[in-house]
């Protein structure tokens, strides 16, 4: 039923020396409008201290230092001037875990479901209490970083957590693609990391069933195990770096960069600024805003997972009328027929659409089909 997944294959770019993190700018966090502050600012904080709580869970201090609260027309922000040691993660130490020892650290250490980042990990697990199926998946959404080698290097930690899952969800079947089950594809190709797509391909369940399944991807598990077996809070994230040249060639750095929550990207902009004047975030399929590196940026580990440097950006680029080339529908991995939203070509099948963004990425008229899809869904289904 579904067509072959679309594959964007970047080349690699060789590293040119070691990066040095610049710590002369305060770490800056931007709470949601309805966030609950957990401190009376200004205040001295230590790594892992809870600063505020929002829908995605508790947000912790990424460093030791002095935290202050600032207000502006754009909203409130918390700035932390680091004045202590840069505490790093410890080795994972396998141990037998009880139910409470798994659940208690989730909020205390700020863990989030990185597969569904609008939820804290604890609230996500609680929302799936009656699930009959648990998927421990091998791919992140876009597989910018491969976490399987680290997880498989620590299989004893993984098996200890699986035993607790059996206690928490005694009626559920566990499909473990970290250890035991063979990956359904030899090499990752987008959109295999999207939970709805992975579950359909492996379990033949419709996309709507994803709300009934407990789905834990490798990055969620990686940060959970750092918390459970090394008592390390969720304050940093591994990110991939991409470089888009003048001729449209895409390159990916050989190694990842570990960035803490609220950290300034000044050190990266100083290194790559002479060649790349703009950047954008995350996936090429999401159409995130293009930004000027001169304006700086502070990293949000809940929302951002990769950084794309651009040599140039045409700010005047605009949408053109659909030329009915059919690329969007032909390459749609689920045959949802997005072309129907901009032409008279058949009907759009919303139940098959997972908003992967491939149609937007491929459109020669630069039509943001993903936005049109979301508008259509809100108008027709109220979500």
């Amino acid at each position: 039923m579904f067509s072959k997944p679309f594959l964007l294959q970047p080349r690699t770019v060789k590293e040119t020396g070691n990066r040095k993190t610049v710590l002369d700018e305060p770490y800056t966090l931007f709470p949601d409008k309805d966030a609950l502050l957990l401190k009376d600012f200004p205040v001295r904080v230590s790594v892992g201290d809870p600063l505020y709580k929002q829908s995605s869970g508790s947000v912790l201090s990424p460093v030791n230092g002095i935290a202050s609260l600032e207000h502006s027309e754009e909203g409130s922000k918390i700035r932390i001037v680091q004045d202590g040691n840069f505490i790093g993660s410890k080795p994972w130490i396998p141990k037998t875990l009880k139910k409470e020892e798994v659940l208690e650290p989730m909020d205390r250490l700020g863990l989030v479901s990185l597969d569904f980042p609008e939820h804290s990990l604890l609230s996500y697990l609680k929302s799936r209490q009656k699930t009959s199926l648990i998927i421990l998946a091998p791919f992140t959404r876009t597989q910018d970083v491969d976490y399987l080698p680290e997880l498989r290097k620590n299989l004893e930690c993984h098996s200890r957590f699986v035993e607790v899952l059996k206690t928490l969800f005694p009626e559920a079947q566990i499909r473990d693609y970290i250890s035991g089950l063979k990956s359904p594809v030899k090499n990752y190709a987008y959109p295999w990391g999207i939970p709805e797509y992975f579950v359909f391909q492996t379990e033949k369940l419709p996309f709507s069933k994803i709300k009934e399944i407990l789905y834990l991807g490798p990055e969620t598990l990686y940060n959970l195990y750092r918390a459970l077996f090394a008592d390390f809070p969720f304050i940093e994230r591994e990110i991939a770096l991409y470089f888009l040249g003048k001729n449209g060639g895409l390159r990916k750095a050989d190694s990842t960069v570990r960035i803490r929550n609220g950290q300034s990207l000044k050190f990266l902009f100083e290194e790559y600024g002479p060649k790349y004047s703009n950047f954008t975030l995350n996936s090429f399929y999401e159409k995130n805003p293009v930004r000027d590196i001169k304006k700086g940026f502070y990293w949000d580990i809940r929302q951002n997972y990769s950084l794309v440097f651009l040599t140039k950006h045409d700010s005047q680029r605009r949408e053109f009328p659909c030329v009915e080339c059919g690329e969007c529908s032909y390459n749609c991995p689920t045959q949802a027929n997005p072309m129907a939203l901009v032409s008279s070509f058949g009907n759009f099948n919303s139940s098959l659409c997972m908003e992967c963004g491939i149609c937007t990425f491929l459109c020669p008229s630069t039509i943001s089909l993903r936005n049109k899809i979301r508008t259509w869904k809100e108008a027709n289904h109220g979500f």
Side-chain angles (χ1 to χ4, degrees):
M1 176 184 176
F2 287 178
S3 60
K4 184 179 179 181
F6 179 79
L7 177 62
L8 174 67
Q9 184 63 54
R11 293 171 289 168
T12 58
V13 61
K14 299 299 181 182
E15 299 299 339
T16 55
N18 296 322
R19 299 186 180 90
K20 295 182 179 180
T21 302
V22 177
L23 300 177
D24 59 354
E25 285 196 13
Y27 288 75
T28 304
L29 309 174
F30 299 89
D32 290 348
K33 185 183 298 184
D34 58 351
L36 174 65
L37 298 179
L38 301 176
K39 299 285 187 183
D40 292 324
F41 297 93
V43 64
R44 177 175 291 279
V45 294
S46 300
V47 170
D49 282 355
L51 300 176
Y52 56 92
K53 196 165 189 174
Q54 55 191 25
S55 59
S56 61
S58 300
V59 177
L60 315 179
S61 174
V63 291
N64 299 327
I66 303 297
S68 59
L69 180 65
E70 298 181 10
H71 301 283
S72 66
E73 294 181 357
E74 291 77 25
S76 301
K77 57 186 176 183
I78 295 173
R79 295 173 70 84
I80 307 171
V81 178
Q82 182 183 348
D83 64 359
N85 292 332
F86 202 88
I87 299 173
S89 180
K90 303 173 184 176
W92 301 0
I93 301 177
K95 59 181 178 181
T96 301
L97 297 166
K98 297 179 180 179
K99 173 181 175 180
E100 298 75 18
E101 293 174 320
V102 170
L103 298 178
E104 184 277 332
M106 288 187 180
D107 271 351
R108 177 173 60 84
L109 297 178
L111 293 170
V112 177
S113 167
L114 294 172
D115 311 294
F116 307 97
E118 66 274 13
H119 298 289
S120 71
L121 190 53
L122 183 60
S123 66
Y124 176 66
L125 260 66
K126 287 182 175 179
S127 71
R128 301 299 193 271
Q129 281 185 331
K130 296 181 180 180
T131 187
S132 59
L133 179 61
I134 299 173
I135 301 288
L136 305 180
F139 307 127
T140 61
R141 187 169 289 265
T142 54
Q143 198 66 358
D144 295 293
V145 181
D146 184 3
Y147 291 92
L148 278 183
E150 190 66 23
L151 293 176
R152 288 174 174 168
K153 189 173 70 176
N154 293 276
L155 282 181
E156 189 173 351
C157 293
H158 178 70
S159 63
R160 300 290 176 91
F161 174 66
V162 171
E163 289 303 313
V164 177
L165 280 180
K166 293 177 181 177
T167 302
L168 290 170
F169 305 92
E171 304 300 321
Q173 177 189 10
I174 300 176
R175 303 279 288 165
D176 183 4
Y177 289 91
I178 308 300
S179 171
L181 292 178
K182 184 179 179 181
S183 173
V185 289
K186 185 176 181 180
N187 297 309
Y188 169 83
Y190 187 78
W192 267 100
I194 295 179
E196 293 90 335
Y197 188 82
F198 187 88
V199 169
F200 176 85
Q201 292 284 24
T202 56
E203 306 298 324
K204 305 307 177 187
L205 296 175
F207 291 170
S208 59
K209 291 293 183 181
I210 197 67
K211 297 179 181 179
E212 302 173 13
I213 297 167
L214 178 61
Y215 183 98
L216 298 172
E219 187 179 15
T220 299
L221 292 173
Y222 171 79
N223 285 285
L224 173 61
Y225 295 169
R226 291 182 88 194
L228 296 179
F229 302 110
D231 198 36
F232 192 77
F234 182 52
I235 57 173
E236 62 186 21
R237 196 168 184 179
E238 297 280 348
I239 72 164
L241 298 182
Y242 291 91
F243 305 87
L244 193 62
K246 292 180 180 180
N247 62 354
L250 174 67
R251 302 190 178 188
K252 182 181 180 182
D254 289 337
S255 60
T256 59
V257 181
R258 185 171 290 177
I259 299 185
R260 295 214 165 182
N261 202 23
Q263 185 173 349
S264 168
L265 297 188
K266 179 180 178 180
F267 73 106
L268 288 174
F269 292 166
E270 287 182 343
E271 180 173 355
Y272 296 112
K275 188 173 181 180
Y276 301 93
S277 58
N278 298 100
F279 72 97
T280 188
L281 305 168
N282 299 343
S283 167
F284 291 93
Y285 311 106
E286 294 182 12
K287 289 291 183 184
N288 285 298
V290 172
R291 307 167 189 266
D292 187 336
I293 65 171
K294 293 179 181 178
K295 296 182 179 180
F297 190 75
Y298 297 95
W299 201 254
D300 182 341
I301 59 173
R302 280 165 161 73
Q303 300 298 323
N304 305 321
Y305 51 84
S306 66
L307 178 65
V308 186
F309 285 97
L310 312 170
T311 53
K312 65 177 182 177
H313 170 61
D314 184 0
S315 60
Q316 302 300 317
R317 194 178 186 191
R318 58 188 178 86
E319 292 186 5
F320 294 93
C322 174
V323 295
E324 299 189 354
C325 64
E327 287 296 317
C328 56
S329 289
Y330 179 77
N331 288 283
C332 176
T334 65
Q335 299 179 7
N337 192 27
M339 186 177 169
L341 296 178
V342 291
S343 73
S344 58
F345 184 72
N347 297 311
F348 173 61
N349 192 335
S350 63
S351 66
L352 294 179
C353 177
M354 57 189 171
E355 300 179 24
C356 65
I358 288 176
C359 54
T360 296
F361 177 79
L362 293 176
C363 180
S365 296
T366 68
I367 298 172
S368 183
L369 284 159
R370 195 178 198 181
N371 289 340
K372 292 185 181 298
I373 286 168
R374 289 173 174 171
T375 300
W376 189 96
K377 286 184 176 182
E378 289 173 0
N380 289 274
H381 297 287
F383 61 81

